[in-house]
Amino acid sequence: MIYLDNNATTAVHPEVLEAMLPFLKDNFLNPSSGYRAAKPVKAALQKAREQVAALINAEPDEIIFTSCGTESNNTALKSLARLVGRKNSLVVTSAIEHSAVLRPIEAMAAVGFETLTLGVSEDGRFDLEEAERQLDTQAGGKALFASLMWSNNETGVNQPIEEAVTLLKQHGAAVHSDAIQAVGKIPVDVRAVPVDMLSLSGHKLHAPKGVGALFLRKGFRLEPLLRGGGQEFGHRSGTENVPYIVGLGQACELAMTDHSTGIAVLRDHLEQRLVSEIDGVHLNGSRTHRAPNICHVSFDHCEGAGLLILLDEAGVQVSTGSACMTGKQQPSHVQKAMGFTDERAKSSLRISLSRFTTREEIDRAAEAIAKAVKKLRAIQSPLTGPVQIYS
Ligand SMILES: Cc1ncc(COP(=O)(O)O)c(C=O)c1O
């Protein structure tokens, strides 16, 4: 099996698992318990908080542990909505956000919040000139809050986040960023970019699924989603999932060592092979502003869904978009926002590498992709166009 879908999820790093095991076995105590034996568990929680904070240049007490990235996003958005209120407010987001931002914002719109969705250019980056014009006409006199992603989960395109946040701050907005696909892949520094809140998720950086964190800038008030025993500084009640939090901390510490150059070399090698060995190949999104691990590519006259099946049979695991879109018929909202035709959007693959990907795997994957494209093109009729595997 050649696993090239690391934006869907990553393998747990062996050192992460090793760090977690003692807290699943002997050190099972509740970190809030008062007796001496619980002290190492409480200390492990604090160490993880320091490790996560260090990776994004935050203070440890600005980190709140959650159950996943989706919870971090929902907590940020719902608490901002409660704080700002729906009267005379404006919720700003972009057309390329993950569903864990878009769906909560849709729910807000359904109960009367005014929303503004920023577009992107063909390279997949926020169109800031247009955003400035839109804000000038719509934002006046309103309380604003915004959620903008740091790096896109489908295309891997890194956003002009510092400029976007600065622009929103000039309009007095409170700003959250979904940095779930950025943390651990590219530098994320909450002191350089003045976001008020930021989400990250364990399973995108070699920690397990089911653990995440929310950065909450000191002094910024949060309306908790979960009330109860007052854990996580009163911001997120519920006994902490210590083993997974320890795993997240360890994964963040490992991510302090930069692997991006080696990963980008393999990604570039893959792209070079695809472009030189297959006709009608389009590399999508900004070539310069992107995460090192992603190749997002379209093949003329070839359905991505069909390619996925042939590649799966060949033992190569990739995706057509985000994992939560798998099996859905519509072209990706991200590619539509980039101005792609339905055909181009439906003919794309997201190939995402990790620090564990090898050159041999990339070479085998390139061969399998070339073969699959050739096969699909051969069986389609020039009159009927691309073969509709799921029609
Ligand atoms: C950009 C982005 N936001 C949010 C999420 C949701 O994170 P989680 O799976 O931890 O809930 C994902 C996961 O695919 C993502 O890529």
Side-chain angles (χ1 to χ4, degrees):
M1 164 181 124
I2 299 173
Y3 183 68
L4 293 173
D5 198 16
N6 287 279
N7 270 31
T9 197
T10 56
V12 172
H13 194 292
E15 286 180 44
V16 167
L17 180 62
E18 208 175 298
M20 290 170 62
L21 283 175
F23 299 94
L24 286 163
K25 290 176 171 172
D26 303 329
N27 284 356
F28 62 87
L29 298 176
N30 189 321
S32 301
S33 293
Y35 29 79
R36 281 172 301 160
K39 283 213 170 106
V41 184
K42 192 174 182 166
L45 202 58
Q46 178 58 17
K47 182 180 170 194
R49 215 180 288 288
E50 288 165 11
Q51 288 166 316
V52 175
L55 184 60
I56 60 170
N57 200 17
E59 297 293 327
D61 58 1
E62 292 176 313
I63 301 297
I64 300 158
F65 291 115
T66 65
S67 67
C68 60
T70 300
E71 185 192 328
S72 300
N73 284 352
N74 273 264
T75 304
L77 289 166
K78 288 190 179 165
S79 62
L80 282 171
R82 279 184 212 163
L83 287 175
V84 172
R86 80 182 84 154
K87 263 203 184 146
N88 207 28
S89 63
L90 182 67
V91 185
V92 183
T93 192
S94 85
I96 58 163
E97 301 295 316
H98 188 271
S99 47
V101 164
L102 293 177
R103 298 295 92 81
I105 290 183
E106 273 170 22
M108 286 171 206
V111 295
F113 278 90
E114 189 187 343
T115 60
L116 168 61
T117 305
L118 306 181
V120 294
S121 312
E122 202 194 336
D123 67 355
R125 303 188 91 214
F126 301 147
D127 182 344
L128 292 180
E129 277 178 25
E130 177 63 14
E132 212 165 336
R133 275 193 293 275
Q134 288 173 303
L135 286 167
D136 284 343
T137 48
Q138 284 193 52
K142 291 178 189 148
L144 259 66
F145 72 85
S147 184
L148 293 176
M149 69 187 347
W150 201 293
S151 182
N152 185 263
N153 49 298
E154 287 185 33
T155 59
V157 170
N158 299 330
Q159 299 303 320
I161 193 73
E162 190 172 345
E163 295 88 332
V165 174
T166 305
L167 174 66
L168 282 155
K169 288 274 162 198
Q170 283 160 2
H171 288 271
V175 188
H176 161 257
S177 180
D178 175 346
I180 287 167
Q181 293 288 356
V183 173
K185 296 184 180 124
I186 57 169
V188 171
D189 183 335
V190 295
R191 298 265 104 73
V193 179
V195 286
D196 301 296
M197 293 191 242
L198 176 143
S199 302
L200 61 99
S201 174
H203 73 110
K204 308 295 183 181
L205 71 154
H206 302 291
K209 286 162 265 304
V211 64
L214 180 66
F215 158 78
L216 177 68
R217 188 174 295 282
K218 218 170 264 176
F220 200 85
R221 245 185 79 210
L222 188 112
E223 257 309 287
L225 271 191
L226 301 184
R227 293 177 188 277
Q231 290 91 343
E232 297 300 299
F233 316 109
H235 294 313
R236 200 273 185 187
S237 289
T239 304
E240 291 94 343
N241 184 355
V242 177
Y244 280 55
I245 290 171
V246 165
L248 175 59
Q250 187 62 32
C252 286
E253 186 167 323
L254 289 167
M256 299 282 281
T257 307
D258 185 7
H259 294 272
S260 60
T261 310
I263 296 171
V265 165
L266 288 183
R267 189 266 318 270
D268 294 347
H269 174 61
L270 172 67
E271 290 185 344
Q272 194 271 326
R273 282 202 61 173
L274 296 180
V275 169
S276 62
E277 293 171 29
I278 309 171
D279 293 333
V281 175
H282 307 275
L283 299 175
N284 300 324
S286 169
R287 311 273 22 97
T288 42
H289 301 282
R290 57 180 179 151
N293 72 315
I294 287 231
C295 163
H296 194 275
V297 60
S298 301
F299 303 92
D300 287 345
H301 315 301
C302 229
E303 277 256 311
L307 282 178
L308 217 63
I309 293 169
L310 293 179
L311 289 171
D312 192 16
E313 278 170 7
V316 179
Q317 294 161 333
V318 294
S319 67
T320 49
S322 64
C324 35
M325 288 299 288
T326 303
K328 296 191 178 155
Q329 307 290 307
Q330 320 90 300
S332 128
H333 68 286
V334 175
Q335 292 171 66
K336 291 298 283 177
M338 290 161 75
F340 288 11
T341 60
D342 283 6
E343 192 193 336
R344 180 160 173 191
K346 283 185 173 181
S347 71
S348 47
L349 287 184
R350 176 185 74 176
I351 305 166
S352 47
L353 290 66
S354 82
R355 70 176 74 171
F356 297 123
T357 306
T358 64
R359 194 177 175 95
E360 195 210 330
E361 286 177 320
I362 289 297
D363 282 326
R364 281 172 46 208
E367 277 153 33
I369 293 167
K371 217 164 139 187
V373 169
K374 213 169 153 191
K375 190 165 174 184
L376 263 194
R377 283 179 180 164
I379 57 174
Q380 83 186 16
S381 145
L383 293 176
T384 55
V387 175
Q388 300 278 326
I389 299 277
Y390 294 129
S391 55

